[in-house]
Amino acid sequence: MLIAHLSDLHIRPQGMLYQGLVDSNSQCQQAIEHLNGLWPRPDVVIVSGDLVDEGLPAEYEMARTLLDRIEQPLLLIPGNHDDLTLFKASFAQRMPMAGTGPAHFVAGSLGPVRIIGLDISVPGEHHGDMTPAAQAWLDATLAQEPERPTLVMLHQPPFLSGIPYIDTYACRNGQRLAEVLARYPAVERVVCGHIHRHMLLRFGGTLLCTAPSTTTAIALRLDAQAEAASYVEPPALLLHHWKADTGLITHWVPIGTFAGPMAFA
């Protein structure tokens, strides 16, 4: 089973730039073209939040136009830049979501790996929160098939990365998530967005990784006094490959055209 993973698209209204500087719509289009050229083709595409930048109706209209080019099943969760009501209304036909409350989801019919979306967004805030209600929902959901290989997706990472200006907006009460995960060793991976960089660590007895953005990269500045900054680094996506003999393998895949193929390995 192949799971393609995009994140932090920050789509703008047609003709507008992200932060007035970066053509996030064009970069999203390039990412989708790259994704559609992958072989074997992914079985499902997941997007770990921040589909749009300001939560505007015109941004969601553009997001639908771009994401409709993805032919595979599409699974989405909102991020801190999304508007929950518009997010649900815009993608209700692409995936099942509850009409009220958080945009949690469970997708169990797309292959051997069950995919769970955990909406930890806090309306009007940039940080996330693993609330007692979210903790209880995840625990009950994992308990339905406790031995099934599972990927859990959320937006804000539940750990401190060491980059001070993004850690302010991490997922709070991450220990609640870790406590649930520790009870379910079949959870193969926890994946996040938000941080605009690829990171990997052990968390809750499993592996957690963050996805790069298709738009910009948060500057890797680990000084506690560092000032916020971003770079237009090569965009990338993640490809999570499930094999029965190995479990889930995660690949970082740069987006673009590169020299090759060359006749050696």
Side-chain angles (χ1 to χ4, degrees):
M1 181 179 182
L2 285 174
I3 304 167
H5 180 185
L6 300 173
S7 196
D8 295 272
L9 312 178
H10 289 277
I11 292 168
R12 304 279 4 248
Q14 186 171 3
M16 295 186 67
L17 301 178
Y18 172 57
Q19 300 294 321
L21 296 170
V22 181
D23 192 348
S24 56
N25 294 354
S26 176
Q27 290 177 299
C28 178
Q29 181 176 340
Q30 292 174 33
I32 293 170
E33 291 173 355
H34 191 101
L35 186 157
N36 287 339
L38 293 175
W39 189 262
R41 301 195 71 194
D43 298 288
V44 58
V45 178
I46 63 176
V47 184
S48 51
D50 280 0
L51 277 68
V52 305
D53 191 49
E54 296 184 2
L56 302 175
E59 291 178 330
Y60 282 104
E61 182 179 352
M62 191 69 209
R64 285 196 306 271
T65 298
L66 290 170
L67 295 178
D68 277 349
R69 299 171 184 172
I70 296 175
E71 298 178 359
Q72 294 94 333
L74 184 63
L75 300 175
L76 315 161
I77 55 169
N80 52 296
H81 285 263
D82 287 300
D83 177 277
L84 183 59
T85 300
L86 290 174
F87 172 88
K88 287 185 174 182
S90 298
F91 296 102
Q93 294 183 345
R94 288 296 304 258
M95 59 175 289
M97 287 182 282
T100 60
H104 304 320
F105 71 80
V106 184
S109 62
L110 300 174
V113 178
R114 172 180 52 172
I115 301 173
I116 294 175
L118 184 65
D119 177 10
I120 56 165
S121 59
V122 180
E125 302 290 345
H126 286 295
H127 68 272
D129 191 8
M130 187 66 184
T131 63
Q135 181 185 28
W137 181 87
L138 180 62
D139 198 359
T141 301
L142 288 170
Q144 293 173 7
E145 295 183 271
E147 298 181 359
R148 182 169 180 184
T150 298
L151 179 149
V152 177
M153 175 170 63
L154 55 155
H155 182 62
Q156 291 95 338
F159 68 93
L160 297 181
S161 70
I163 302 175
Y165 41 84
I166 197 66
D167 285 344
T168 302
Y169 308 117
C171 173
R172 298 177 184 175
N173 298 302
Q175 75 280 359
R176 292 174 179 156
L177 176 59
E179 290 168 3
V180 173
L181 296 171
R183 294 195 286 272
Y184 299 96
V187 175
E188 287 275 339
R189 196 79 80 251
V190 178
V191 300
C192 305
H194 187 61
I195 209 160
H196 289 221
R197 298 201 68 85
H198 180 49
M199 300 183 183
L200 179 68
L201 70 155
R202 291 190 59 81
F203 182 87
T206 185
L207 288 177
L208 184 153
C209 66
T210 65
S213 169
T214 59
T215 301
T216 57
I218 298 294
L220 183 57
R221 295 180 172 179
L222 300 177
D223 187 321
Q225 306 303 318
E227 295 184 0
S230 293
Y231 287 93
V232 182
E233 295 182 3
L237 58 86
L238 298 182
L239 191 63
H240 308 287
H241 184 196
W242 164 261
K243 300 195 302 171
D245 58 338
T246 60
L248 203 63
I249 304 171
T250 295
H251 302 272
W252 179 87
V253 182
I255 294 167
T257 303
F258 308 98
M262 301 174 186
F264 57 83

Short mmCIF file of all heavy atoms in Angstrom, two decimals, residues 94-120:
data_model
loop_
_atom_site.label_atom_id
_atom_site.label_comp_id
_atom_site.label_asym_id
_atom_site.label_seq_id
_atom_site.Cartn_x
_atom_site.Cartn_y
_atom_site.Cartn_z
N ARG A 94 -15.64 14.71 -1.17
CA ARG A 94 -14.44 13.91 -1.38
C ARG A 94 -14.20 12.92 -0.25
O ARG A 94 -13.54 11.89 -0.44
CB ARG A 94 -13.20 14.81 -1.51
CG ARG A 94 -13.09 15.58 -2.81
CD ARG A 94 -12.93 14.73 -4.04
NE ARG A 94 -11.82 13.82 -4.06
CZ ARG A 94 -10.68 14.01 -4.70
NH1 ARG A 94 -10.47 15.14 -5.35
NH2 ARG A 94 -9.73 13.10 -4.70
N MET A 95 -14.69 13.23 0.96
CA MET A 95 -14.42 12.35 2.09
C MET A 95 -15.51 12.54 3.15
O MET A 95 -16.11 13.60 3.25
CB MET A 95 -13.06 12.64 2.69
CG MET A 95 -12.85 14.05 3.18
SD MET A 95 -11.28 14.30 4.01
CE MET A 95 -11.54 13.39 5.54
N PRO A 96 -15.76 11.49 3.94
CA PRO A 96 -16.78 11.60 4.98
C PRO A 96 -16.27 12.41 6.17
O PRO A 96 -15.16 12.22 6.65
CB PRO A 96 -17.03 10.14 5.38
CG PRO A 96 -15.74 9.45 5.08
CD PRO A 96 -15.17 10.15 3.88
N MET A 97 -17.08 13.36 6.64
CA MET A 97 -16.76 14.14 7.82
C MET A 97 -18.05 14.41 8.59
O MET A 97 -19.12 14.57 8.00
CB MET A 97 -16.09 15.47 7.45
CG MET A 97 -14.67 15.35 6.97
SD MET A 97 -13.93 16.97 6.61
CE MET A 97 -14.66 17.34 5.02
N ALA A 98 -17.93 14.47 9.91
CA ALA A 98 -19.08 14.80 10.74
C ALA A 98 -19.53 16.23 10.45
O ALA A 98 -18.71 17.11 10.20
CB ALA A 98 -18.73 14.64 12.22
N GLY A 99 -20.84 16.45 10.50
CA GLY A 99 -21.37 17.77 10.23
C GLY A 99 -21.03 18.78 11.29
O GLY A 99 -20.91 19.98 11.01
N THR A 100 -20.89 18.33 12.52
CA THR A 100 -20.53 19.23 13.62
C THR A 100 -19.33 18.65 14.37
O THR A 100 -19.02 17.46 14.26
CB THR A 100 -21.70 19.39 14.60
OG1 THR A 100 -22.05 18.10 15.15
CG2 THR A 100 -22.91 19.99 13.91
N GLY A 101 -18.65 19.50 15.11
CA GLY A 101 -17.52 19.05 15.90
C GLY A 101 -16.25 18.93 15.09
O GLY A 101 -16.18 19.36 13.92
N PRO A 102 -15.21 18.35 15.68
CA PRO A 102 -13.91 18.22 15.00
C PRO A 102 -14.01 17.38 13.73
O PRO A 102 -14.90 16.53 13.59
CB PRO A 102 -13.03 17.54 16.05
CG PRO A 102 -13.71 17.79 17.36
CD PRO A 102 -15.18 17.83 17.06
N ALA A 103 -13.07 17.59 12.83
CA ALA A 103 -13.05 16.89 11.55
C ALA A 103 -12.24 15.59 11.64
O ALA A 103 -11.39 15.32 10.79
CB ALA A 103 -12.50 17.80 10.46
N HIS A 104 -12.49 14.80 12.69
CA HIS A 104 -11.84 13.49 12.79
C HIS A 104 -12.37 12.58 11.66
O HIS A 104 -13.49 12.75 11.18
CB HIS A 104 -12.18 12.80 14.12
CG HIS A 104 -11.85 13.59 15.35
ND1 HIS A 104 -10.71 14.33 15.48
CD2 HIS A 104 -12.52 13.70 16.53
CE1 HIS A 104 -10.67 14.89 16.68
NE2 HIS A 104 -11.76 14.53 17.33
N PHE A 105 -11.59 11.58 11.29
CA PHE A 105 -12.08 10.58 10.35
C PHE A 105 -11.34 9.27 10.56
O PHE A 105 -10.25 9.23 11.15
CB PHE A 105 -11.92 11.04 8.89
CG PHE A 105 -10.50 11.07 8.39
CD1 PHE A 105 -9.85 9.92 7.97
CD2 PHE A 105 -9.80 12.27 8.34
CE1 PHE A 105 -8.55 9.94 7.52
CE2 PHE A 105 -8.50 12.31 7.88
CZ PHE A 105 -7.87 11.14 7.47
N VAL A 106 -11.93 8.20 10.07
CA VAL A 106 -11.31 6.88 10.04
C VAL A 106 -11.50 6.32 8.64
O VAL A 106 -12.62 6.28 8.13
CB VAL A 106 -11.94 5.91 11.06
CG1 VAL A 106 -11.19 4.58 11.04
CG2 VAL A 106 -11.94 6.50 12.46
N ALA A 107 -10.42 5.90 7.99
CA ALA A 107 -10.48 5.29 6.67
C ALA A 107 -9.86 3.90 6.77
O ALA A 107 -8.64 3.76 6.91
CB ALA A 107 -9.74 6.14 5.65
N GLY A 108 -10.71 2.89 6.69
CA GLY A 108 -10.23 1.54 6.88
C GLY A 108 -10.39 0.63 5.69
O GLY A 108 -10.03 -0.55 5.77
N SER A 109 -10.90 1.16 4.57
CA SER A 109 -11.20 0.29 3.43
C SER A 109 -10.30 0.53 2.23
O SER A 109 -10.59 0.03 1.13
CB SER A 109 -12.66 0.50 3.01
OG SER A 109 -12.88 1.84 2.61
N LEU A 110 -9.22 1.29 2.41
CA LEU A 110 -8.36 1.65 1.28
C LEU A 110 -7.15 0.74 1.10
O LEU A 110 -6.41 0.86 0.14
CB LEU A 110 -7.89 3.09 1.44
CG LEU A 110 -9.00 4.14 1.49
CD1 LEU A 110 -8.44 5.51 1.80
CD2 LEU A 110 -9.79 4.16 0.18
N GLY A 111 -6.94 -0.17 2.06
CA GLY A 111 -5.79 -1.06 2.01
C GLY A 111 -5.52 -1.62 3.39
O GLY A 111 -6.32 -1.45 4.32
N PRO A 112 -4.40 -2.30 3.55
CA PRO A 112 -4.12 -2.95 4.84
C PRO A 112 -3.88 -1.97 5.98
O PRO A 112 -4.03 -2.33 7.15
CB PRO A 112 -2.86 -3.77 4.56
CG PRO A 112 -2.26 -3.17 3.33
CD PRO A 112 -3.39 -2.65 2.54
N VAL A 113 -3.49 -0.72 5.68
CA VAL A 113 -3.22 0.26 6.72
C VAL A 113 -4.46 1.11 6.97
O VAL A 113 -4.99 1.73 6.04
CB VAL A 113 -2.03 1.16 6.35
CG1 VAL A 113 -1.79 2.21 7.43
CG2 VAL A 113 -0.76 0.34 6.13
N ARG A 114 -4.92 1.12 8.21
CA ARG A 114 -6.01 2.02 8.60
C ARG A 114 -5.43 3.42 8.80
O ARG A 114 -4.38 3.59 9.42
CB ARG A 114 -6.65 1.51 9.89
CG ARG A 114 -7.66 2.44 10.52
CD ARG A 114 -8.25 1.88 11.81
NE ARG A 114 -7.23 1.45 12.75
CZ ARG A 114 -7.48 1.06 14.01
NH1 ARG A 114 -8.72 1.01 14.45
NH2 ARG A 114 -6.49 0.70 14.80
N ILE A 115 -6.11 4.43 8.27
CA ILE A 115 -5.67 5.81 8.40
C ILE A 115 -6.67 6.57 9.26
O ILE A 115 -7.88 6.57 8.98
CB ILE A 115 -5.53 6.48 7.02
CG1 ILE A 115 -4.52 5.71 6.15
CG2 ILE A 115 -5.09 7.94 7.17
CD1 ILE A 115 -4.45 6.19 4.72
N ILE A 116 -6.16 7.20 10.31
CA ILE A 116 -7.00 7.95 11.24
C ILE A 116 -6.59 9.41 11.18
O ILE A 116 -5.41 9.74 11.30
CB ILE A 116 -6.86 7.42 12.67
CG1 ILE A 116 -7.41 5.99 12.77
CG2 ILE A 116 -7.57 8.33 13.68
CD1 ILE A 116 -7.21 5.34 14.13
N GLY A 117 -7.55 10.30 10.98
CA GLY A 117 -7.31 11.73 11.03
C GLY A 117 -7.78 12.28 12.36
O GLY A 117 -8.92 12.05 12.77
N LEU A 118 -6.91 12.99 13.05
CA LEU A 118 -7.20 13.52 14.37
C LEU A 118 -7.14 15.05 14.30
O LEU A 118 -6.06 15.62 14.11
CB LEU A 118 -6.19 12.98 15.39
CG LEU A 118 -6.38 13.36 16.85
CD1 LEU A 118 -7.68 12.78 17.39
CD2 LEU A 118 -5.19 12.87 17.68
N ASP A 119 -8.28 15.69 14.43
CA ASP A 119 -8.36 17.14 14.33
C ASP A 119 -8.12 17.75 15.71
O ASP A 119 -8.97 17.69 16.59
CB ASP A 119 -9.74 17.54 13.80
CG ASP A 119 -9.94 19.05 13.74
OD1 ASP A 119 -8.95 19.79 13.91
OD2 ASP A 119 -11.10 19.48 13.52
N ILE A 120 -6.94 18.34 15.90
CA ILE A 120 -6.58 18.95 17.18
C ILE A 120 -6.55 20.47 17.08
O ILE A 120 -6.01 21.15 17.96
CB ILE A 120 -5.21 18.43 17.66
CG1 ILE A 120 -4.14 18.69 16.58
CG2 ILE A 120 -5.27 16.96 18.03
CD1 ILE A 120 -2.73 18.55 17.07
#
